[in-house]
Amino acid sequence: ELPLSTRESRVRRLARAVLGRQPIGLAFGAPYALFIAVLFAYPLGLAVWISFHRYFFTAPGVSVARPFVGLANYRAVFADPEVLRSFLNILIFLVINVPLTVGLSLLLATALNAAIPFRALFRACFYVPYVTASVAMVAVWLFMFNTGGVVDSVLGPLAPVPSWLVNQNWAMPSIAIYVTWKQLGFFILLYLAALQNVPKELYEAASIDGASWWHKLWSVTVPGVRTVTTLITLLAIIVGANLFTEPYLLTAGGGPNGTSASPVLLMYQIGIEQNHPDFASALGVILVIGVLLIVGVQRLLQRNQT
């Protein structure tokens, strides 16, 4: 039998290997880990399980068979033209939203980082839409862009017919512009924080060399905030993948004729309203995998650049 001191030493080493050198850190991190497990890990695991079964909601206390159907739900998702159209809609959204978000955020952050009058006021004005309730902002947008609204009155004969939010060609671009405007304040703050870490000596050296404002932006600012640009791009893609509130409220559930419907909106309509959570879960799993693939490619490209 091993001496008591040897057994205690082995127990300590085992505890250190399992709990780490600072076990108190696990105690502080446990509530957040439980939060992640309950609100994210468990629902995601349940969605994966539902996607492989014939599943539908029933009244409380009613027990029904939920047979395993393999990949049938996934085949149904890929065969549904509405789903394919929703992914095309999101692609259109991202093509418009991501470049606008990155470009406008960087330009406005650069301007707000300079010594201009009322700088704090301008920063607050850009941030207000982000912290304001989406329903309130949607009401303002509807007032401006509905048929006969403020924008139509200003543009007159140049306004599209039908109007923006009921026009098949303009519904999704209008939503992309709205989301860009609403999220802009948050991304400006991220760029403002990144600009504080760009050495001022680089701008002074560029000025001595006779560089213009544009050359300073392209040669000094853009490389200096490249990491934040990657983060903002990923966040904008995630926002687009989770698009729901805007098409639901702005275009009355993805209209006209599904030209502004998003995959998440279809998940709600098919899974909740039509009681096909198995189909909606399969669509959700595909969406999660797609976002993870985009993030993985983005990280791989970033690693190759560095």
Side-chain angles (χ1 to χ4, degrees):
E1 186 178 358
L2 294 175
L4 180 61
S5 59
T6 303
R7 292 201 302 268
E8 289 180 349
S9 177
R10 288 187 174 182
V11 170
R12 289 197 188 108
R13 287 199 299 269
L14 179 61
R16 182 175 297 177
V18 175
L19 302 178
R21 295 184 177 274
Q22 299 294 336
I24 191 67
L26 288 178
F28 284 113
Y32 185 70
L34 181 63
F35 172 82
I36 293 295
V38 172
L39 295 184
F40 292 96
Y42 172 73
L44 180 60
L46 179 61
V48 173
W49 184 87
I50 291 176
S51 69
F52 288 103
H53 293 76
R54 182 67 62 209
Y55 194 100
F56 54 90
F57 299 120
T58 60
V62 177
S63 178
V64 295
R66 295 186 171 98
F68 177 80
V69 295
L71 298 176
N73 290 319
Y74 291 91
R75 287 193 292 267
V77 168
F78 284 113
D80 193 320
E82 292 185 5
V83 172
L84 300 180
R85 180 59 186 267
S86 70
F87 278 103
L88 177 60
N89 294 339
I90 288 301
L91 179 61
I92 295 172
F93 174 90
L94 294 176
V95 168
I96 299 171
N97 173 259
V98 174
L100 276 179
T101 297
V102 174
L104 289 177
S105 299
L106 179 57
L107 290 175
L108 291 173
T110 303
L112 294 174
N113 193 50
I116 60 174
F118 307 106
R119 180 172 60 178
L121 176 63
F122 285 124
R123 289 180 178 180
C125 290
F126 281 113
Y127 194 68
V128 165
Y130 176 75
V131 297
T132 305
S134 296
V135 175
M137 292 293 96
V138 165
V140 173
W141 202 261
L142 287 172
F143 173 75
M144 294 175 59
F145 283 86
N146 258 346
T147 304
V150 175
V151 176
D152 283 358
S153 300
V154 171
L155 293 179
L158 297 178
V161 179
S163 191
W164 307 90
L165 299 174
V166 292
N167 190 305
Q168 294 188 14
N169 298 321
W170 281 102
M172 183 52 75
S174 298
I175 292 175
I177 294 172
Y178 166 80
V179 174
T180 301
W181 168 73
K182 190 175 190 310
Q183 302 285 331
L184 204 59
F186 174 69
F187 297 128
I188 288 175
L189 285 184
L190 293 181
Y191 268 131
L192 281 172
L195 288 172
Q196 308 305 312
N197 297 322
V198 179
K200 292 182 173 57
E201 293 80 5
L202 297 178
Y203 292 104
E204 295 172 357
S207 298
I208 293 173
D209 292 338
S212 63
W213 178 86
W214 170 255
H215 285 94
K216 292 179 186 178
L217 176 68
W218 187 253
S219 302
V220 179
T221 304
V222 172
V225 297
R226 181 178 292 126
T227 302
V228 176
T229 299
T230 301
L231 173 63
I232 290 176
T233 302
L234 291 178
L235 290 177
I237 291 173
I238 292 173
V239 168
N242 289 281
L243 194 65
F244 171 80
T245 305
E246 291 77 12
Y248 182 75
L249 296 178
L250 283 173
T251 60
N257 299 325
T259 52
S260 64
S262 65
V264 176
L265 179 60
L266 285 183
M267 288 169 57
Y268 167 76
Q269 292 174 335
I270 297 175
I272 304 299
E273 294 181 349
Q274 301 177 21
N275 195 14
H276 291 293
D278 46 3
F279 184 98
S281 296
L283 176 55
V285 172
I286 293 171
L287 190 61
V288 169
I289 293 174
V291 172
L292 291 178
L293 287 176
I294 293 174
V295 172
V297 171
Q298 187 79 15
R299 293 295 299 272
L300 182 62
L301 293 177
Q302 183 183 8
R303 184 180 302 175
N304 291 337
Q305 289 177 356
T306 56

